[in-house]
Amino acid sequence: MKAQPATMPPSGSESAVGSAPAPASILVVDDDPVVRECYKRVIERLGHRVLCAADGEVALKRLREHHVDAVLSDVRMPNIDGAGLLEAIRKTAPDLPVLLATAEASVESAIHAVEYGAVAYLRKPVSNEQLRSSVAKALSLGKMAHLKRMMTSHFGDDSELERRRAQELARDMDRGLEGLFIAYQPVVHASNGELYGYEALMRTTHDPLRSPLAFLETAERLHRMYDLGRAIRRIVAEPLDTRTDIQLLINISADDLLDETLYSTDTKMATHASRIVLEITERASLDRVADVSARIARLRGIGYRIAVDDLGAGYAGLSAIAILEPDIMKLDMSLIRGIDANATKRSLVQSMLPLARDLGALVIAEGVETEAEKAVLCELGCNLLQGYLLGRPEPLPRA
Ligand code: C2E
Ligand code: CA
Ligand code: CA
């Protein structure tokens, strides 16, 4: 059926306000040649082209061969009647406006007409004025229906894609949580190499989220940061039950700070609070956390200590130090890597150490990979060291 090609809006609509309507093609179907001729004349005077058919069968043939913008059909006809024609049209041209006209309106045919979306049900004899206004209305309804369909198929496709992507992400997120485990990386005293504690770093067996940053980003996009933070907190402190010799450094995101369950006192973490340091990154803006200072005070009240993470990573100033008054300052590995061969890094670290000492904070140098880096950091007076040289993040064997 050629009516209403999917990519072309139907003609017959007004191209501009006040201008004559663009010519459209109307198919007139009636077994009475006088009626056909009468409709034809009126419609042609509106500037439209008229195709004629004496019954439903011929009408369907015309529709297959020609582009048609609207159909005006008698209801009572031999072979396929008006209702049958309407039903056949709807299978292939859902937007094609169809006007039905009948002398004796039966309830059944009216119901059928409504069911299959006839745009009007006209009582014969149809006046010229009624015919003109019905044709104009049918053409604009057809155009609207077509535009609506184009828009929903366009935007519908997009949202379908979005929906599928979100579903995939959600599946990844669930699998990530199912496979969640914690790797623990040693932090050692710079002076004698003795163990100070471990930084807890989340991991998952679900491959696409192997990088914790990818996992965090996925959680963020799905607004499931609470789920992730809570799942980590449920398992992270387990080693403290059996390993009474260690303490843990646990990463806390800005979202975690907003989650009331972080402040709960009947959790495994809270039980071991005196051996837990919460690392809060300087990277994540604390601006969006209302009452940061009050929240930090609540955490301290439970017994946690606070570390500021990633210092010197090139992000907003040292404001986090003022807000958090940290017990520990972690120097970002970008300051540490290659410090033995870089005078600027060396003097930066050198100037930060007295600042930390004045604040009563210990300093951890993070990302130590070589003996040369370690030697410089010890010489400068860093308290604690962390990095592949001292140990990789690994699941922690029970004592
Ligand atoms: P981060 O807190 O700065 O953690 C240190 C990162 O440096 C870890 O990466 C660690 O594996 C890596 N690292 C340690 N030593 C070395 C070294 O000598 N050389 C090099 N090149 N890298 C080293 P990881 O585990 O991939 O974690 C990346 C980031 O993801 C973390 O950075 C932290 O911001 C975040 N993250 C990890 N676990 C958690 C968590 O449980 N909760 C939250 N909120 N964030 C987490
Ligand atoms: Ca950290
Ligand atoms: Ca860090």
Side-chain angles (χ1 to χ4, degrees), residues 222-280:
L222 293 169
H223 305 286
R224 291 182 66 184
M225 283 295 279
Y226 282 12
D227 281 358
L228 181 55
R230 290 174 186 186
I232 292 166
R233 291 199 295 279
R234 263 196 296 276
I235 58 172
V236 70
E238 267 164 17
L240 295 176
D241 285 342
T242 48
R243 296 278 307 262
T244 50
D245 59 319
I246 61 167
Q247 40 194 343
L248 289 185
L249 297 113
I250 297 171
N251 292 283
I252 291 295
S253 68
D255 288 274
D256 291 325
L257 280 177
L258 290 167
D259 184 352
E260 269 307 307
T261 68
L262 176 68
Y263 306 90
S264 142
T265 50
D266 59 356
T267 59
K268 193 180 283 297
M269 264 180 64
T271 314
H272 295 298
S274 64
R275 289 194 285 142
I276 290 176
V277 179
L278 301 178
E279 292 193 6
I280 297 167

CSV table of all heavy atoms in Angstrom, one decimal, residues 222-280:
chain,number,residue,atom,x,y,z
A,222,LEU,N,24.4,5.1,38.2
A,222,LEU,CA,23.1,4.4,38.5
A,222,LEU,C,22.5,4.9,39.8
A,222,LEU,O,21.5,4.4,40.3
A,222,LEU,CB,23.4,2.9,38.6
A,222,LEU,CG,23.7,2.2,37.4
A,222,LEU,CD1,24.2,0.8,37.7
A,222,LEU,CD2,22.6,2.1,36.4
A,223,HIS,N,23.2,6.0,40.4
A,223,HIS,CA,22.7,6.5,41.7
A,223,HIS,C,22.7,5.4,42.7
A,223,HIS,O,21.8,5.2,43.5
A,223,HIS,CB,21.4,7.2,41.6
A,223,HIS,CG,21.3,8.2,40.5
A,223,HIS,ND1,21.9,9.5,40.7
A,223,HIS,CD2,20.8,8.2,39.3
A,223,HIS,CE1,21.8,10.2,39.6
A,223,HIS,NE2,21.1,9.5,38.8
A,224,ARG,N,23.7,4.5,42.7
A,224,ARG,CA,23.8,3.4,43.6
A,224,ARG,C,25.0,3.4,44.5
A,224,ARG,O,25.5,2.4,44.9
A,224,ARG,CB,23.6,2.1,42.9
A,224,ARG,CG,22.2,1.9,42.3
A,224,ARG,CD,22.1,0.5,41.6
A,224,ARG,NE,22.2,-0.6,42.5
A,224,ARG,CZ,22.1,-1.9,42.1
A,224,ARG,NH1,22.0,-2.1,40.9
A,224,ARG,NH2,22.2,-2.8,43.0
A,225,MET,N,25.5,4.7,44.7
A,225,MET,CA,26.7,4.8,45.6
A,225,MET,C,26.5,4.3,47.0
A,225,MET,O,27.4,3.7,47.6
A,225,MET,CB,27.1,6.3,45.6
A,225,MET,CG,27.9,6.7,44.4
A,225,MET,SD,29.4,5.9,44.1
A,225,MET,CE,30.5,6.8,45.2
A,226,TYR,N,25.2,4.5,47.5
A,226,TYR,CA,25.0,3.9,48.8
A,226,TYR,C,25.1,2.4,48.8
A,226,TYR,O,25.6,1.9,49.8
A,226,TYR,CB,23.5,4.3,49.3
A,226,TYR,CG,23.4,5.8,49.7
A,226,TYR,CD1,24.4,6.7,49.5
A,226,TYR,CD2,22.2,6.2,50.4
A,226,TYR,CE1,24.2,8.0,49.9
A,226,TYR,CE2,22.1,7.5,50.9
A,226,TYR,CZ,23.1,8.4,50.6
A,226,TYR,OH,22.9,9.7,51.0
A,227,ASP,N,24.5,1.8,47.8
A,227,ASP,CA,24.6,0.3,47.7
A,227,ASP,C,26.1,-0.2,47.8
A,227,ASP,O,26.4,-1.1,48.6
A,227,ASP,CB,24.1,-0.2,46.4
A,227,ASP,CG,22.6,-0.2,46.4
A,227,ASP,OD1,22.0,0.1,47.4
A,227,ASP,OD2,22.0,-0.6,45.3
A,228,LEU,N,26.9,0.5,47.0
A,228,LEU,CA,28.3,0.1,47.0
A,228,LEU,C,29.0,0.4,48.3
A,228,LEU,O,29.7,-0.5,48.9
A,228,LEU,CB,29.0,0.8,45.8
A,228,LEU,CG,30.5,0.5,45.6
A,228,LEU,CD1,30.7,-1.0,45.4
A,228,LEU,CD2,31.1,1.2,44.4
A,229,GLY,N,28.9,1.6,48.8
A,229,GLY,CA,29.5,1.9,50.1
A,229,GLY,C,29.1,1.0,51.2
A,229,GLY,O,29.9,0.5,52.0
A,230,ARG,N,27.8,0.7,51.2
A,230,ARG,CA,27.2,-0.2,52.3
A,230,ARG,C,27.8,-1.6,52.2
A,230,ARG,O,28.1,-2.3,53.1
A,230,ARG,CB,25.7,-0.2,52.3
A,230,ARG,CG,25.1,1.1,52.7
A,230,ARG,CD,23.6,1.1,52.6
A,230,ARG,NE,23.1,2.4,52.9
A,230,ARG,CZ,21.8,2.7,52.9
A,230,ARG,NH1,20.9,1.8,52.7
A,230,ARG,NH2,21.5,4.0,53.2
A,231,ALA,N,27.9,-2.1,50.9
A,231,ALA,CA,28.4,-3.5,50.7
A,231,ALA,C,29.8,-3.5,51.1
A,231,ALA,O,30.3,-4.5,51.7
A,231,ALA,CB,28.2,-3.8,49.2
A,232,ILE,N,30.6,-2.5,50.8
A,232,ILE,CA,32.0,-2.5,51.2
A,232,ILE,C,32.1,-2.5,52.7
A,232,ILE,O,32.8,-3.3,53.3
A,232,ILE,CB,32.7,-1.2,50.6
A,232,ILE,CG1,32.9,-1.4,49.1
A,232,ILE,CG2,34.1,-1.1,51.3
A,232,ILE,CD1,33.3,-0.1,48.4
A,233,ARG,N,31.3,-1.6,53.4
A,233,ARG,CA,31.4,-1.5,54.8
A,233,ARG,C,31.0,-2.7,55.6
A,233,ARG,O,31.4,-3.0,56.7
A,233,ARG,CB,30.6,-0.3,55.3
A,233,ARG,CG,31.2,1.1,54.9
A,233,ARG,CD,30.7,2.2,55.7
A,233,ARG,NE,29.3,2.5,55.5
A,233,ARG,CZ,28.8,3.2,54.5
A,233,ARG,NH1,29.6,3.7,53.6
A,233,ARG,NH2,27.5,3.4,54.4
A,234,ARG,N,30.1,-3.5,54.9
A,234,ARG,CA,29.6,-4.8,55.5
A,234,ARG,C,30.8,-5.8,55.7
A,234,ARG,O,30.8,-6.5,56.6
A,234,ARG,CB,28.5,-5.4,54.7
A,234,ARG,CG,27.1,-5.1,55.2
A,234,ARG,CD,26.1,-6.0,54.7
A,234,ARG,NE,25.9,-5.9,53.2
A,234,ARG,CZ,25.2,-5.0,52.6
A,234,ARG,NH1,24.5,-4.2,53.3
A,234,ARG,NH2,25.1,-4.9,51.3
A,235,ILE,N,31.7,-5.7,54.7
A,235,ILE,CA,32.8,-6.8,54.8
A,235,ILE,C,34.2,-6.3,55.1
A,235,ILE,O,35.0,-7.1,55.5
A,235,ILE,CB,32.8,-7.6,53.4
A,235,ILE,CG1,33.1,-6.6,52.2
A,235,ILE,CG2,31.5,-8.3,53.2
A,235,ILE,CD1,33.4,-7.3,50.9
A,236,VAL,N,34.4,-5.0,55.0
A,236,VAL,CA,35.7,-4.5,55.0
A,236,VAL,C,36.5,-4.7,56.3
A,236,VAL,O,37.7,-4.9,56.4
A,236,VAL,CB,35.8,-3.0,54.6
A,236,VAL,CG1,35.1,-2.1,55.7
A,236,VAL,CG2,37.2,-2.5,54.3
A,237,ALA,N,35.7,-4.6,57.4
A,237,ALA,CA,36.4,-4.7,58.7
A,237,ALA,C,36.5,-6.1,59.3
A,237,ALA,O,37.0,-6.3,60.4
A,237,ALA,CB,35.6,-3.8,59.7
A,238,GLU,N,36.1,-7.1,58.5
A,238,GLU,CA,36.2,-8.5,59.0
A,238,GLU,C,37.5,-8.9,59.5
A,238,GLU,O,37.6,-9.6,60.6
A,238,GLU,CB,35.7,-9.5,57.9
A,238,GLU,CG,34.2,-9.8,57.9
A,238,GLU,CD,33.7,-10.4,56.7
A,238,GLU,OE1,34.5,-10.9,55.8
A,238,GLU,OE2,32.5,-10.4,56.5
A,239,PRO,N,38.7,-8.6,58.8
A,239,PRO,CA,40.0,-9.0,59.3
A,239,PRO,C,40.3,-8.5,60.7
A,239,PRO,O,41.1,-9.1,61.4
A,239,PRO,CB,40.9,-8.4,58.3
A,239,PRO,CG,40.2,-8.1,57.1
A,239,PRO,CD,38.8,-7.8,57.6
A,240,LEU,N,39.6,-7.4,61.1
A,240,LEU,CA,39.9,-6.9,62.5
A,240,LEU,C,39.4,-7.8,63.6
A,240,LEU,O,39.9,-7.7,64.7
A,240,LEU,CB,39.3,-5.5,62.6
A,240,LEU,CG,39.9,-4.4,61.7
A,240,LEU,CD1,39.2,-3.1,61.9
A,240,LEU,CD2,41.4,-4.2,62.0
A,241,ASP,N,38.5,-8.7,63.3
A,241,ASP,CA,38.0,-9.7,64.3
A,241,ASP,C,39.1,-10.6,64.7
A,241,ASP,O,39.3,-10.9,65.9
A,241,ASP,CB,36.9,-10.6,63.7
A,241,ASP,CG,35.6,-9.8,63.6
A,241,ASP,OD1,35.4,-8.8,64.3
A,241,ASP,OD2,34.7,-10.3,62.8
A,242,THR,N,39.9,-11.1,63.7
A,242,THR,CA,40.9,-12.1,64.0
A,242,THR,C,42.3,-11.5,64.1
A,242,THR,O,43.2,-12.0,64.8
A,242,THR,CB,40.9,-13.2,63.0
A,242,THR,OG1,40.9,-12.6,61.7
A,242,THR,CG2,39.7,-14.1,63.2
A,243,ARG,N,42.5,-10.4,63.4
A,243,ARG,CA,43.9,-9.8,63.4
A,243,ARG,C,43.9,-8.6,64.4
A,243,ARG,O,43.7,-7.4,64.0
A,243,ARG,CB,44.3,-9.3,62.0
A,243,ARG,CG,44.4,-10.4,61.0
A,243,ARG,CD,45.7,-11.1,61.0
A,243,ARG,NE,46.9,-10.2,60.9
A,243,ARG,CZ,47.5,-10.0,59.8
A,243,ARG,NH1,47.2,-10.5,58.7
A,243,ARG,NH2,48.6,-9.2,59.8
A,244,THR,N,44.2,-8.8,65.6
A,244,THR,CA,44.2,-7.8,66.6
A,244,THR,C,45.4,-6.9,66.5
A,244,THR,O,45.5,-5.8,67.2
A,244,THR,CB,44.1,-8.3,68.0
A,244,THR,OG1,45.1,-9.3,68.2
A,244,THR,CG2,42.7,-9.0,68.3
A,245,ASP,N,46.4,-7.3,65.7
A,245,ASP,CA,47.6,-6.5,65.6
A,245,ASP,C,47.6,-5.4,64.5
A,245,ASP,O,48.5,-4.7,64.3
A,245,ASP,CB,48.8,-7.5,65.2
A,245,ASP,CG,48.5,-8.2,63.9
A,245,ASP,OD1,47.3,-8.6,63.6
A,245,ASP,OD2,49.4,-8.4,63.0
A,246,ILE,N,46.5,-5.4,63.7
A,246,ILE,CA,46.5,-4.4,62.6
A,246,ILE,C,45.4,-3.3,62.7
A,246,ILE,O,44.5,-3.5,63.5
A,246,ILE,CB,46.2,-5.2,61.3
A,246,ILE,CG1,44.8,-5.9,61.3
A,246,ILE,CG2,47.3,-6.1,61.0
A,246,ILE,CD1,44.4,-6.4,59.9
A,247,GLN,N,45.6,-2.3,62.0
A,247,GLN,CA,44.6,-1.3,61.8
A,247,GLN,C,44.3,-1.1,60.3
A,247,GLN,O,45.1,-1.5,59.5
A,247,GLN,CB,44.9,0.0,62.5
A,247,GLN,CG,46.3,0.5,62.3
A,247,GLN,CD,46.6,1.6,63.3
A,247,GLN,OE1,45.7,2.2,63.9
A,247,GLN,NE2,47.9,1.8,63.6
A,248,LEU,N,43.1,-0.5,60.0
A,248,LEU,CA,42.7,-0.4,58.6
A,248,LEU,C,42.5,1.0,58.2
A,248,LEU,O,42.0,1.8,59.0
A,248,LEU,CB,41.4,-1.2,58.4
A,248,LEU,CG,41.4,-2.7,58.4
A,248,LEU,CD1,40.0,-3.2,58.1
A,248,LEU,CD2,42.4,-3.2,57.4
A,249,LEU,N,42.9,1.3,57.0
A,249,LEU,CA,42.6,2.6,56.4
A,249,LEU,C,41.5,2.3,55.3
A,249,LEU,O,41.7,1.5,54.4
A,249,LEU,CB,43.8,3.2,55.8
A,249,LEU,CG,45.0,3.6,56.8
A,249,LEU,CD1,46.2,2.7,56.5
A,249,LEU,CD2,45.3,5.0,56.7
A,250,ILE,N,40.4,2.9,55.5
A,250,ILE,CA,39.2,2.6,54.6
A,250,ILE,C,38.8,3.9,53.9
A,250,ILE,O,38.6,5.0,54.5
A,250,ILE,CB,38.0,2.1,55.5
A,250,ILE,CG1,38.4,0.8,56.2
A,250,ILE,CG2,36.8,1.9,54.7
A,250,ILE,CD1,37.5,0.3,57.2
A,251,ASN,N,38.6,3.7,52.5
A,251,ASN,CA,38.3,4.9,51.7
A,251,ASN,C,36.8,5.2,51.8
A,251,ASN,O,35.9,4.3,51.8
A,251,ASN,CB,38.6,4.6,50.2
A,251,ASN,CG,40.1,4.5,50.0
A,251,ASN,OD1,40.7,5.5,49.9
A,251,ASN,ND2,40.6,3.3,49.9
A,252,ILE,N,36.5,6.5,52.0
A,252,ILE,CA,35.1,6.9,52.2
A,252,ILE,C,34.9,8.0,51.1
A,252,ILE,O,35.7,8.9,50.9
A,252,ILE,CB,35.0,7.5,53.6
A,252,ILE,CG1,35.0,6.5,54.6
A,252,ILE,CG2,33.7,8.3,53.7
A,252,ILE,CD1,33.9,5.5,54.6
A,253,SER,N,33.8,7.8,50.3
A,253,SER,CA,33.5,8.8,49.3
A,253,SER,C,32.6,9.9,49.9
A,253,SER,O,32.1,9.8,51.0
A,253,SER,CB,32.7,8.1,48.1
A,253,SER,OG,31.5,7.7,48.6
A,254,ALA,N,32.4,11.0,49.1
A,254,ALA,CA,31.6,12.1,49.6
A,254,ALA,C,30.1,11.6,49.8
A,254,ALA,O,29.4,12.0,50.7
A,254,ALA,CB,31.6,13.2,48.6
A,255,ASP,N,29.7,10.6,48.9
A,255,ASP,CA,28.4,10.0,49.0
A,255,ASP,C,28.3,9.2,50.3
A,255,ASP,O,27.2,9.3,51.0
A,255,ASP,CB,28.1,9.1,47.9
A,255,ASP,CG,27.8,9.9,46.6
A,255,ASP,OD1,26.7,10.3,46.4
A,255,ASP,OD2,28.8,10.1,45.8
A,256,ASP,N,29.3,8.5,50.7
A,256,ASP,CA,29.3,7.7,51.9
A,256,ASP,C,29.0,8.7,53.1
A,256,ASP,O,28.3,8.4,54.0
A,256,ASP,CB,30.6,7.0,52.2
A,256,ASP,CG,30.9,5.9,51.2
A,256,ASP,OD1,29.9,5.2,50.8
A,256,ASP,OD2,32.0,5.6,50.8
A,257,LEU,N,29.7,9.9,53.0
A,257,LEU,CA,29.5,10.9,54.1
A,257,LEU,C,28.0,11.3,54.3
A,257,LEU,O,27.6,11.7,55.4
A,257,LEU,CB,30.4,12.1,53.9
A,257,LEU,CG,31.9,12.0,54.2
A,257,LEU,CD1,32.6,13.3,53.8
A,257,LEU,CD2,32.1,11.7,55.7
A,258,LEU,N,27.3,11.2,53.2
A,258,LEU,CA,25.9,11.6,53.2
A,258,LEU,C,24.9,10.5,53.6
A,258,LEU,O,23.8,10.7,53.9
A,258,LEU,CB,25.5,12.1,51.8
A,258,LEU,CG,26.1,13.4,51.4
A,258,LEU,CD1,25.9,13.7,49.9
A,258,LEU,CD2,25.5,14.6,52.2
A,259,ASP,N,25.5,9.3,53.7
A,259,ASP,CA,24.7,8.1,54.1
A,259,ASP,C,24.6,7.9,55.6
A,259,ASP,O,25.7,7.7,56.2
A,259,ASP,CB,25.3,6.9,53.4
A,259,ASP,CG,24.5,5.6,53.6
A,259,ASP,OD1,23.5,5.7,54.4
A,259,ASP,OD2,24.8,4.6,53.0
A,260,GLU,N,23.5,8.0,56.2
A,260,GLU,CA,23.3,7.9,57.6
A,260,GLU,C,23.9,6.6,58.2
A,260,GLU,O,24.3,6.6,59.4
A,260,GLU,CB,21.8,8.1,58.0
A,260,GLU,CG,21.4,9.5,58.3
A,260,GLU,CD,22.3,10.2,59.3
A,260,GLU,OE1,22.5,9.7,60.4
A,260,GLU,OE2,22.8,11.3,59.0
A,261,THR,N,23.8,5.5,57.4
A,261,THR,CA,24.3,4.3,58.0
A,261,THR,C,25.8,4.3,58.3
A,261,THR,O,26.3,3.5,59.1
A,261,THR,CB,24.0,3.1,57.0
A,261,THR,OG1,24.8,3.2,55.8
A,261,THR,CG2,22.6,3.0,56.6
A,262,LEU,N,26.5,5.3,57.7
A,262,LEU,CA,28.0,5.4,58.0
A,262,LEU,C,28.1,5.7,59.5
A,262,LEU,O,29.2,5.4,60.1
A,262,LEU,CB,28.6,6.5,57.1
A,262,LEU,CG,30.1,6.8,57.4
A,262,LEU,CD1,31.0,5.6,57.1
A,262,LEU,CD2,30.5,8.0,56.6
A,263,TYR,N,27.1,6.4,60.1
A,263,TYR,CA,27.2,6.9,61.4
A,263,TYR,C,26.6,5.9,62.5
A,263,TYR,O,26.6,6.3,63.6
A,263,TYR,CB,26.6,8.3,61.5
A,263,TYR,CG,27.1,9.2,60.5
A,263,TYR,CD1,26.5,9.3,59.2
A,263,TYR,CD2,28.3,10.0,60.8
A,263,TYR,CE1,27.1,10.2,58.3
A,263,TYR,CE2,28.8,10.8,59.8
A,263,TYR,CZ,28.2,10.9,58.5
A,263,TYR,OH,28.7,11.7,57.6
A,264,SER,N,26.2,4.8,62.0
A,264,SER,CA,25.6,3.8,62.9
A,264,SER,C,26.7,3.2,63.8
A,264,SER,O,27.8,3.1,63.5
A,264,SER,CB,24.9,2.8,62.0
A,264,SER,OG,25.0,1.5,62.5
A,265,THR,N,26.3,3.0,65.0
A,265,THR,CA,27.2,2.5,66.0
A,265,THR,C,27.1,1.0,66.3
A,265,THR,O,27.9,0.5,67.1
A,265,THR,CB,27.0,3.3,67.4
A,265,THR,OG1,25.6,3.2,67.7
A,265,THR,CG2,27.4,4.7,67.3
A,266,ASP,N,26.1,0.3,65.7
A,266,ASP,CA,26.1,-1.1,65.9
A,266,ASP,C,26.5,-1.9,64.7
A,266,ASP,O,25.9,-2.9,64.3
A,266,ASP,CB,24.7,-1.5,66.4
A,266,ASP,CG,23.6,-1.2,65.3
A,266,ASP,OD1,24.0,-0.5,64.3
A,266,ASP,OD2,22.4,-1.5,65.5
A,267,THR,N,27.6,-1.5,64.1
A,267,THR,CA,28.2,-2.2,63.0
A,267,THR,C,29.6,-2.8,63.3
A,267,THR,O,30.2,-2.3,64.3
A,267,THR,CB,28.4,-1.3,61.7
A,267,THR,OG1,29.3,-0.2,62.2
A,267,THR,CG2,27.1,-0.7,61.3
A,268,LYS,N,30.0,-3.7,62.5
A,268,LYS,CA,31.4,-4.3,62.8
A,268,LYS,C,32.4,-3.2,62.7
A,268,LYS,O,33.3,-3.1,63.5
A,268,LYS,CB,31.7,-5.4,61.7
A,268,LYS,CG,32.9,-6.2,62.1
A,268,LYS,CD,33.2,-7.3,61.1
A,268,LYS,CE,32.3,-8.5,61.2
A,268,LYS,NZ,32.4,-9.2,62.4
A,269,MET,N,32.2,-2.3,61.7
A,269,MET,CA,33.2,-1.2,61.6
A,269,MET,C,33.2,-0.3,62.9
A,269,MET,O,34.3,0.0,63.4
A,269,MET,CB,32.8,-0.3,60.4
A,269,MET,CG,33.6,-0.6,59.2
A,269,MET,SD,33.2,0.4,57.8
A,269,MET,CE,33.7,2.0,58.3
A,270,ALA,N,32.0,0.0,63.4
A,270,ALA,CA,32.0,0.9,64.6
A,270,ALA,C,32.6,0.2,65.8
A,270,ALA,O,33.3,0.8,66.6
A,270,ALA,CB,30.5,1.2,64.9
A,271,THR,N,32.4,-1.2,65.9
A,271,THR,CA,33.0,-1.9,67.0
A,271,THR,C,34.5,-1.8,67.0
A,271,THR,O,35.1,-1.8,68.1
A,271,THR,CB,32.6,-3.4,66.8
A,271,THR,OG1,31.2,-3.5,66.5
A,271,THR,CG2,32.9,-4.3,68.0
A,272,HIS,N,35.1,-1.7,65.8
A,272,HIS,CA,36.5,-1.6,65.7
A,272,HIS,C,37.0,-0.2,65.4
A,272,HIS,O,38.1,0.0,65.0
A,272,HIS,CB,37.0,-2.6,64.6
A,272,HIS,CG,36.8,-4.0,64.8
A,272,HIS,ND1,37.3,-4.7,65.9
A,272,HIS,CD2,36.0,-5.0,64.2
A,272,HIS,CE1,36.9,-6.0,65.9
A,272,HIS,NE2,36.1,-6.1,64.8
A,273,ALA,N,36.1,0.8,65.7
A,273,ALA,CA,36.4,2.1,65.2
A,273,ALA,C,37.8,2.6,65.6
A,273,ALA,O,38.5,3.4,64.9
A,273,ALA,CB,35.4,3.1,65.7
A,274,SER,N,38.3,2.2,66.8
A,274,SER,CA,39.6,2.8,67.3
A,274,SER,C,40.7,2.3,66.5
A,274,SER,O,41.8,2.8,66.5
A,274,SER,CB,39.8,2.4,68.8
A,274,SER,OG,39.9,0.9,68.8
A,275,ARG,N,40.5,1.2,65.7
A,275,ARG,CA,41.6,0.7,64.8
A,275,ARG,C,41.3,1.0,63.3
A,275,ARG,O,41.9,0.4,62.4
A,275,ARG,CB,41.8,-0.8,65.0
A,275,ARG,CG,42.4,-1.1,66.3
A,275,ARG,CD,42.9,-2.5,66.4
A,275,ARG,NE,41.8,-3.5,66.6
A,275,ARG,CZ,41.8,-4.7,65.9
A,275,ARG,NH1,42.8,-5.0,65.1
A,275,ARG,NH2,40.8,-5.5,66.1
A,276,ILE,N,40.4,2.0,63.1
A,276,ILE,CA,40.0,2.4,61.7
A,276,ILE,C,40.3,3.8,61.4
A,276,ILE,O,40.0,4.7,62.2
A,276,ILE,CB,38.6,2.0,61.4
A,276,ILE,CG1,38.4,0.5,61.4
A,276,ILE,CG2,38.1,2.6,60.1
A,276,ILE,CD1,36.9,0.1,61.2
A,277,VAL,N,41.0,4.1,60.3
A,277,VAL,CA,41.2,5.4,59.8
A,277,VAL,C,40.3,5.6,58.5
A,277,VAL,O,40.4,4.7,57.6
A,277,VAL,CB,42.7,5.7,59.4
A,277,VAL,CG1,42.9,7.1,58.9
A,277,VAL,CG2,43.6,5.4,60.6
A,278,LEU,N,39.5,6.6,58.5
A,278,LEU,CA,38.7,6.8,57.3
A,278,LEU,C,39.4,7.8,56.4
A,278,LEU,O,39.8,8.9,56.8
A,278,LEU,CB,37.3,7.3,57.7
A,278,LEU,CG,36.5,6.5,58.6
A,278,LEU,CD1,35.2,7.2,58.9
A,278,LEU,CD2,36.2,5.1,58.0
A,279,GLU,N,39.7,7.3,55.1
A,279,GLU,CA,40.4,8.2,54.2
A,279,GLU,C,39.4,8.9,53.3
A,279,GLU,O,38.5,8.3,52.7
A,279,GLU,CB,41.2,7.3,53.2
A,279,GLU,CG,42.4,6.6,53.9
A,279,GLU,CD,43.4,6.1,52.8
A,279,GLU,OE1,43.2,6.3,51.6
A,279,GLU,OE2,44.3,5.4,53.3
A,280,ILE,N,39.5,10.2,53.4
A,280,ILE,CA,38.6,11.0,52.6
A,280,ILE,C,39.4,11.8,51.5
A,280,ILE,O,40.4,12.4,51.9
A,280,ILE,CB,37.8,12.0,53.5
A,280,ILE,CG1,37.0,11.2,54.5
A,280,ILE,CG2,37.0,13.0,52.6
A,280,ILE,CD1,36.4,12.0,55.6
